[in-house]
Amino acid sequence: MSITQANPTSRRANPLVDAVVLAGLISLVFGTAHVIGEWRQPLHTKVEIDLSPSSLPAYALFSFARGWIAYFFSLLFTLLVASWAFYDTRARRFILPALDVLQSIPVLGFLPGLVLALVGLFPNSNVGLELACVLMIFTGQVWNMTFSYYDSLRGMPPDFRSLSRLYDLGWWRRFWKVELPVGVQGLIYNSMVSMAGGWFFLSITESFQLGTQDFRVPGIGSYMSAAIAAGDVRAQICGVIAMGCVIVAVDRLVWWPLLQWSRKFNLDDFAGAQPPQSRLSLWLARSRAMQRLAQFLGRISARLVQPKNAPHAEAAALTSSAKPTRAGFGRWVYRCFLGIVLMVLAVGFVRLVMLLTHVRASDWREIGVDSAISFGRVFAAVALGTLWTLPAGIGIGLNPKLSSRLQPFIQFAASFPAPMIYPWILALVIAMGGSLEWGSIPLIMLGTQWYILFNVAAAASAIPNDLRSCAAILRLDGWRRWWRYLLPAVAPGLVTGWITAAGGAWNATIVSEYVHAGNKLYQATGLGALISQATDSGNFPKLTAAVLIMAVIVVGINRTVWKKLQALANERCRFGT
Amino acid sequence: MNAPSPLIDIKHVCHEYASHGHEHDLVLSDISLTVSENDVVALLGPSGCGKSTLIRVLSGLVQPTRGEVGYRGQPLHGVSPGVAMVFQNFALFPWLTVRGNILLPIEHLPPAEQQARLETVLSTVGLGAYEYSYPRELSGGMKQRVGIARALIAQPEVLCMDEPFSALDVLTAETLRNEIGRLLASPDHPLRTMVFVTHNISEAVFLATRIVVLAAQPGRIAQIVPNTLPYPRDPDAPAFRAAVETLHGILTHTNLPDTVCADPGKVVTKVDASRRRIAPVSLPYVTPGEVLGLLTLLGDEPCDVFDLAERFGREFGAVVRVIKAAELLGFVATPGQDVVMTDLGRQTVGASTTEQKKLVREQLLKLKIFDLLVRLIRVQENQTLAEEELLRELQAALPHEKPKQLFRTLLAWGRHSEIISYDQRQHQLRLYDPKRSSRGAAHTAAVPPTPPAA
């Protein structure tokens, strides 16, 4: 039940790659955005959001569709890039650290640049906006899926590889018969997690506004923002309910059946551990229509996977000259592609440097101070979150009954896009006499503490039974119980939870230090607020600088603190051999 | 020695695990046992007889569902104060060094005292050079030495060990067993009282002064055998061998009772005080392959159960289950401790695969439980029986069995002998029909659709 990150020990940190990827990404987004767009550009039709509840199903459907389109691309990316990294050992050395950086940078900072770039590409239609929306959700979904699939491929039993070579499966059949079955369980599990992360980005991107410019697209996210702007509480409640329904429906109708189905691909066939099947999936399996559908799909997939030739026939028929030319051609295409990418990056980089020269010294100072404040907030949010999630997670993890009962609720809470209810929490904070300076801390926590809870609970549930008995026999209690037994036992999970939570927290500063509630704008001092403000006021150089600094901070902390802590926890506190 | 005073005293202990919903697995049934000072008690029995649960009850780790647990005459709530425990899988804290692990129980003592005790214990178990290693770096035998040292350093009144040597390889286990034996035999070492779990008869005879033989399903005490051989004990001595032989006999007898069954597969059980009825006998949880394998290996000569266990390299309890199943099907007979092949058994071994399946099928259909299964399928509207339905029926007919496990066993036998077929996608059973199955497709249009479950 954890939101697990792929095993980090297998990947070496390489500061050079970090720098290249960071610079490349920022160059690409901001540089190109700068090339394409003047900052303010008259464009596209304005969207009117209808606040009557009857229009909600349609909005929900739009959001739903965006989520799934993004998921489709995430899946495609995952399968392609993970396989590439797995089979091409040379590319792997760059791909893996690059993905690692991409996973940890605060993507939300890139939203304005991305929207402007894509709107500039399609000035006369909504295509650019929709594309930006999908792309943002994609970036929230894809990384952990890719790592999971890559790790599955790495964990593939070597016999399977030999077998596929022996039977001359070819890449197409190898993918269907070997690779996908091996990776499908992890992939589905991570897809669930990704979809949850995707809703967060969806809710923000759909309601994106830039100063007076309206970049909204119809969906639940924009419905909520319109309801908040209008101060229409009834519509807000309806929006939250609709979002909840979408989350529950996707969970029950898609992920649960898929998860059940994927269990048949379990590699270690431990007969005793058959999990209870859900009533729904059994009912589906017995329904006649589903049987027909399954038969139909089965026939299609059989046709697709059916080989044209007997094994090794192609190799036998191949003339000796055919292969080298094809490989040569492939390499040529590869080089061209690489060249184009490098050129675009170089142009973007030059633009970026030019852009940064426009940033005033006072702005740099402001960025520095605000970074420190935001850092404090992120730290406070993670620490406060840990304070309750650590004991709660351990309690849940050690008690399987409690954990199975609470899991659906926790999963729901974790999936629900927190920004949708920011105004409510903020109203509460202000009613209690607080301001956003402090109030943004609970807002940040709202979305990120769940990661700690999940990972700690998973780690606690994995404590071997003998060890639990031993702790009881030794009468470890009070601080000894915590320091000698519980804390080290959950340390690997705790650190993973911290990493994910801190990454999410930096992202969340952008939306939680700068909140529109009703007609009012609440603003705190901090890097996230600075980014949002620079976005609204159209100060493009300042925005770029702030995003750059935030990305550098996050990746830097990741490298210097988290990865080391994680390595230590994994080395010392892992159970088993 | 003075008159031994009772340390741990349990009376009429029953324990159930709530498995799923309303089912309860009775693990321990009415167990009374006293552990006195200077007792070395072995809990001996096949797997699944609740011996690990019993030792956890004795140490206070598990609160039994019913019955009393007392320590030194006081009722025990929570973990027993004078008990230390050695675990099957060592239970070492991976984040503490060997030193840290061993010192855990005595951290409240002054440092000088800790150090003194540590040095004694390290030299006792021979771990001196490993003081600052992490458990990860140690071999299994070394890890268990740490476990033993951690238990000894607290100077417990009772040392509990839960299958302490069964996760180790044979040679290492032998070494450690000898060392524990030496500690018990040595007059200078305070270790006197011990309770340990084992399924190894000679281990029990080698260490224990009393051997508690347990029977399975539900776990209960079959017999308590005193063992007065003087320490140190020599496994090659005739008296030692005689004791092992006696225990062999007792274990066989408890697990393979010599009841004469006129009608195999049926026993009379008391359902309640007023009503008696014929209940089906459960099939032991073994696979057809195991039983046929037993027949192939058995040969014409009568064979001792323990020799068989030795020859198969399997645990005694597991072999007994296979023999029981073979006996139930009429392939072997078990006079005394021996296993003898019947004519039918011989015929089955010699038959072709198809013939073999036919013979097994005929025997299975004589069993009441299979009769029940076939009839259940026949009365269904479309001859298709849902898994849940069968589980419910099994639960009702055989309340003491584990329905899931029984279901899997029935499935294995029924499919092997081509009585039933099972669709795992829909969790449904049908009677086996060679015509349908030969076409390969499991879903056919010939069967009317299943009505949706109410």
Side-chain angles (χ1 to χ4, degrees):
Chain A
M1 59 178 282
S2 76
I3 298 189
T4 34
Q5 289 199 328
N7 181 13
T9 47
S10 58
R11 282 185 284 281
R12 250 180 319 173
N14 184 345
L16 191 71
V17 176
D18 293 354
V20 170
V21 173
L22 267 183
L25 192 76
I26 293 176
S27 308
L28 190 68
V29 176
F30 288 93
T32 45
H34 193 52
V35 172
I36 293 165
E38 308 99 26
W39 188 230
R40 296 190 182 261
Q41 189 179 32
L43 88 181
H44 88 112
T45 51
K46 199 165 178 163
V47 178
E48 282 306 322
I49 306 292
D50 179 9
L51 284 184
S52 67
S54 58
S55 58
L56 254 176
Y59 287 144
L61 192 70
F62 286 141
S63 295
F64 186 81
R66 275 179 209 115
W68 282 102
I69 291 170
Y71 176 74
F72 172 77
F73 284 113
S74 299
L75 194 62
L76 206 66
F77 180 92
T78 293
L79 297 178
L80 287 176
V81 173
S83 307
W84 184 23
F86 178 66
Y87 285 107
D88 186 345
T89 42
R90 229 171 0 146
R92 180 190 303 174
R93 271 181 307 188
F94 182 77
I95 294 175
L96 290 181
L99 289 178
D100 209 26
V101 175
L102 288 170
Q103 164 171 272
S104 56
I105 54 170
V107 211
L108 270 187
F110 292 83
L111 177 61
L114 196 71
V115 168
L116 288 175
L118 287 169
V119 166
L121 269 179
F122 303 93
N124 298 318
S125 69
N126 254 348
V127 174
L129 267 184
E130 293 286 355
L131 218 60
C133 201
V134 166
L135 207 63
M136 281 310 286
I137 302 169
F138 168 85
T139 53
Q141 289 177 336
V142 72
W143 317 116
N144 61 324
M145 285 170 63
T146 310
F147 277 128
S148 146
Y149 188 63
Y150 172 75
D151 282 345
S152 303
L153 289 180
R154 281 266 307 249
M156 182 162 70
D159 292 357
F160 283 13
R161 280 188 84 177
S162 313
L163 200 72
S164 51
R165 201 144 358 114
L166 198 63
Y167 288 136
D168 191 20
L169 288 188
W171 68 272
W172 177 243
R173 286 209 299 152
R174 188 180 62 205
F175 170 71
W176 285 106
K177 297 277 181 195
V178 183
E179 294 170 356
L180 196 61
V182 165
V184 75
Q185 269 190 307
L187 204 52
I188 289 176
Y189 185 79
N190 277 280
S191 299
M192 287 172 74
V193 175
S194 288
M195 214 56 190
W199 297 128
F200 177 86
F201 289 105
L202 179 109
S203 74
I204 294 168
T205 325
E206 278 185 350
S207 55
F208 183 62
Q209 278 167 304
L210 202 59
T212 51
Q213 283 233 322
D214 191 350
F215 290 108
R216 286 185 297 185
V217 287
I220 292 192
S222 47
Y223 179 90
M224 263 318 263
S225 79
I228 289 165
D232 185 342
V233 177
R234 194 189 62 145
Q236 288 175 32
I237 293 173
C238 288
V240 167
I241 292 174
M243 189 71 235
C245 290
V246 169
I247 290 172
V248 172
V250 170
D251 196 47
R252 292 287 132 175
L253 294 176
V254 181
W255 299 127
W256 264 103
L258 271 177
L259 212 57
Q260 298 284 356
W261 168 79
S262 73
R263 294 239 158 91
K264 74 175 189 177
F265 296 111
N266 230 341
L267 279 183
D268 35 61
D269 39 11
F270 181 57
Q274 218 184 30
Q277 217 167 3
S278 80
R279 214 162 273 282
L280 177 73
S281 60
L282 205 59
W283 183 75
L284 282 178
R286 283 187 191 152
S287 95
R288 193 152 167 71
M290 287 307 281
Q291 284 180 26
R292 281 272 168 81
L293 185 68
Q295 253 176 305
F296 176 69
L297 288 177
R299 234 174 314 164
I300 290 212
S301 64
R303 179 98 24 104
L304 278 175
V305 177
Q306 197 174 41
K308 287 188 192 67
N309 302 315
H312 303 293
E314 210 173 314
L318 212 60
T319 52
S320 53
S321 62
K323 216 163 189 175
T325 39
R326 237 177 40 188
F329 179 73
R331 200 172 305 144
W332 188 76
V333 169
Y334 182 75
R335 275 184 191 156
C336 271
F337 174 72
L338 211 66
I340 291 170
V341 169
L342 284 178
M343 241 158 66
V344 171
L345 283 180
V347 171
F349 187 71
V350 170
R351 283 279 169 174
L352 178 74
V353 172
M354 282 164 60
L355 203 62
L356 287 179
T357 55
H358 292 295
V359 183
R360 288 190 299 267
S362 62
D363 285 343
W364 282 113
R365 248 195 319 278
E366 195 188 347
I367 290 173
V369 172
D370 284 4
S371 303
I373 295 171
S374 282
F375 179 84
R377 267 197 204 105
V378 168
F379 183 81
V382 173
L384 283 175
T386 310
L387 228 50
W388 81 269
T389 51
L390 184 63
I394 288 175
I396 292 171
L398 290 180
N399 185 343
K401 234 184 251 169
L402 194 66
S403 112
S404 65
R405 207 167 299 159
L406 287 181
Q407 207 203 341
F409 298 102
I410 299 175
Q411 208 157 343
F412 178 79
S415 308
F416 195 88
M420 279 196 174
I421 54 169
Y422 275 180
W424 300 2
I425 309 290
L426 189 60
L428 197 72
V429 167
I430 285 163
M432 278 161 41
S435 67
L436 191 64
E437 295 290 348
W438 294 102
S440 58
I441 294 174
L443 296 188
I444 295 171
M445 278 169 66
L446 203 62
T448 55
Q449 56 196 348
W450 310 108
Y451 299 112
I452 311 176
L453 187 67
F454 271 139
N455 283 290
V456 168
S461 69
I463 300 177
N465 263 324
D466 269 4
L467 207 71
R468 296 181 199 189
S469 298
C470 185
I473 283 270
L474 292 172
R475 299 164 166 274
L476 296 179
D477 40 28
W479 73 269
R480 284 179 70 215
R481 182 171 147 83
W482 279 96
W483 286 102
R484 291 270 191 268
Y485 167 45
L486 289 176
L487 272 181
V490 299
L494 182 62
V495 175
T496 307
W498 276 343
I499 295 176
T500 324
W506 278 105
N507 242 334
T509 56
I510 295 172
V511 281
S512 61
E513 290 179 347
Y514 193 85
V515 183
H516 291 275
N519 290 324
K520 277 183 80 176
L521 168 69
Y522 295 91
Q523 196 175 347
T525 329
L527 193 58
L530 190 138
I531 288 177
S532 296
Q533 196 190 13
T535 308
D536 265 1
S537 63
N539 190 341
F540 201 56
K542 193 171 165 187
L543 170 68
T544 312
V547 171
L548 181 71
I549 294 298
M550 187 184 270
V552 167
I553 291 175
V554 174
V555 173
I557 293 176
N558 240 342
R559 290 283 178 253
T560 50
V561 182
W562 293 132
K563 293 281 156 171
K564 299 226 161 94
L565 215 57
Q566 193 164 38
L568 187 73
N570 278 328
E571 185 198 314
R572 282 284 167 77
C573 304
R574 226 164 2 93
F575 297 110
T577 48
Chain B
M1 279 181 221
N2 310 333
S5 59
L7 276 175
I8 309 175
D9 192 18
I10 63 170
K11 290 196 186 97
H12 307 296
V13 159
C14 296
H15 191 66
E16 290 172 342
Y17 281 124
S19 40
H20 19 267
H22 300 292
E23 293 171 31
H24 288 279
D25 289 339
L26 189 60
V27 192
L28 298 177
S29 163
D30 193 29
I31 290 192
S32 300
L33 183 67
T34 306
V35 179
S36 306
E37 257 171 58
N38 302 333
D39 261 354
V40 179
V41 177
L43 307 176
L44 177 69
S47 58
C49 69
K51 43 192 199 299
S52 282
T53 311
L54 181 55
I55 203 170
R56 279 171 168 71
V57 169
L58 289 170
S59 60
L61 274 173
V62 167
Q63 183 99 38
T65 324
R66 285 186 295 281
E68 296 166 28
V69 183
Y71 188 81
R72 287 193 178 280
Q74 301 293 317
L76 184 67
H77 301 290
V79 177
S80 182
V83 164
M85 194 142 168
V86 174
F87 295 88
Q88 183 175 4
N89 293 312
F90 323 128
L92 301 180
F93 294 81
W95 46 87
L96 297 177
T97 57
V98 167
R99 180 192 169 88
N101 266 292
I102 297 176
L103 285 180
L104 262 184
I106 56 162
E107 280 182 325
H108 57 283
L109 297 177
E113 166 89 23
Q114 287 188 25
Q115 188 60 32
R117 282 211 205 177
L118 179 73
E119 277 163 19
T120 320
V121 123
L122 282 178
S123 68
T124 309
V125 297
L127 274 171
Y130 293 93
E131 197 178 331
Y132 293 102
S133 309
Y134 283 98
R136 203 181 302 288
E137 306 158 34
L138 306 183
S139 66
M142 282 298 167
K143 282 182 189 158
Q144 195 55 301
R145 279 167 201 269
V146 179
I148 292 168
R150 182 175 61 189
L152 290 179
I153 203 168
Q155 299 177 348
E157 290 175 306
V158 185
L159 176 64
C160 292
M161 304 203 288
D162 182 12
E163 304 224 18
F165 313 122
S166 61
L168 307 174
D169 65 274
V170 184
L171 292 177
T172 313
E174 186 68 32
T175 315
L176 279 182
R177 192 154 43 229
N178 279 327
E179 283 175 23
I180 293 284
R182 236 188 341 264
L183 288 185
L184 287 172
S186 118
D188 339 313
H189 200 273
L191 177 65
R192 285 288 168 274
T193 318
M194 197 165 93
V195 182
F196 67 103
V197 164
T198 182
H199 59 249
N200 180 332
I201 295 177
S202 53
E203 184 171 301
V205 176
F206 186 73
L207 293 173
T209 58
R210 274 200 303 157
I211 297 159
V212 179
V213 181
L214 295 162
Q217 283 179 353
R220 59 197 185 274
I221 295 182
Q223 200 167 345
I224 299 183
V225 184
N227 180 16
T228 53
L229 297 174
Y231 292 116
R233 290 169 180 165
D234 174 12
D236 294 322
F240 190 99
R241 287 190 182 179
V244 170
E245 200 60 30
T246 316
L247 277 168
H248 270 185
I250 295 168
L251 263 181
T252 322
H253 191 72
T254 27
N255 291 289
L256 275 180
D258 255 332
T259 44
V260 187
C261 262
D263 181 7
K266 286 179 193 172
V267 288
V268 180
T269 51
K270 226 184 271 178
V271 173
D272 53 50
S274 60
R275 203 157 55 102
R276 290 172 150 244
R277 70 163 192 193
I278 308 276
V281 160
S282 154
L283 206 56
Y285 307 139
V286 297
T287 62
E290 285 174 307
V291 167
L292 292 172
L294 169 79
L295 295 184
T296 317
L297 290 174
L298 198 54
D300 282 335
E301 296 296 310
C303 201
D304 181 86
V305 180
F306 287 92
D307 291 345
L308 276 177
E310 200 112 303
R311 244 166 62 196
F312 297 167
R314 297 274 300 266
E315 197 231 318
F316 171 72
V319 175
V320 163
R321 277 199 297 277
V322 178
I323 295 170
K324 268 175 145 173
E327 190 177 18
L328 203 59
L329 294 170
F331 295 144
V332 300
T334 56
Q337 276 191 45
D338 286 341
V339 183
V340 190
M341 186 110 84
T342 60
D343 288 338
L344 184 65
R346 253 184 294 274
Q347 193 189 339
T348 311
V349 172
S352 70
T353 312
T354 331
E355 270 295 297
Q356 224 173 37
K357 286 194 173 181
K358 196 172 141 256
L359 287 168
V360 174
R361 182 160 61 234
E362 281 163 5
Q363 290 306 107
L364 279 175
L365 287 172
K366 285 181 195 163
L367 297 183
K368 192 138 175 13
I369 186 131
F370 260 94
D371 188 44
L372 177 82
L373 174 61
V374 171
R375 269 190 296 133
L376 263 177
I377 297 178
R378 287 231 172 92
V379 297
Q380 301 299 316
E381 205 177 322
N382 41 37
Q383 310 273 299
T384 310
L385 179 62
E387 180 180 331
E388 312 96 86
E389 176 83 22
L390 178 57
L391 284 173
R392 263 199 301 280
E393 291 287 338
L394 290 177
Q395 172 84 53
L398 294 155
H400 290 302
E401 297 292 332
K402 295 171 187 155
K404 285 254 159 93
Q405 219 169 345
L406 181 56
F407 170 79
R408 276 199 292 275
T409 311
L410 289 181
L411 208 59
W413 283 94
R415 284 199 285 195
H416 171 85
S417 59
E418 296 175 350
I419 295 174
I420 53 172
S421 67
Y422 175 63
D423 189 331
Q424 197 158 8
R425 288 168 287 197
Q426 298 167 50
H427 294 255
Q428 287 171 339
L429 296 117
R430 299 161 199 273
L431 292 179
Y432 177 74
D433 179 357
K435 269 174 279 167
R436 262 167 45 120
S437 296
S438 61
R439 288 225 311 274
H443 311 283
T444 50
V447 185
T450 328

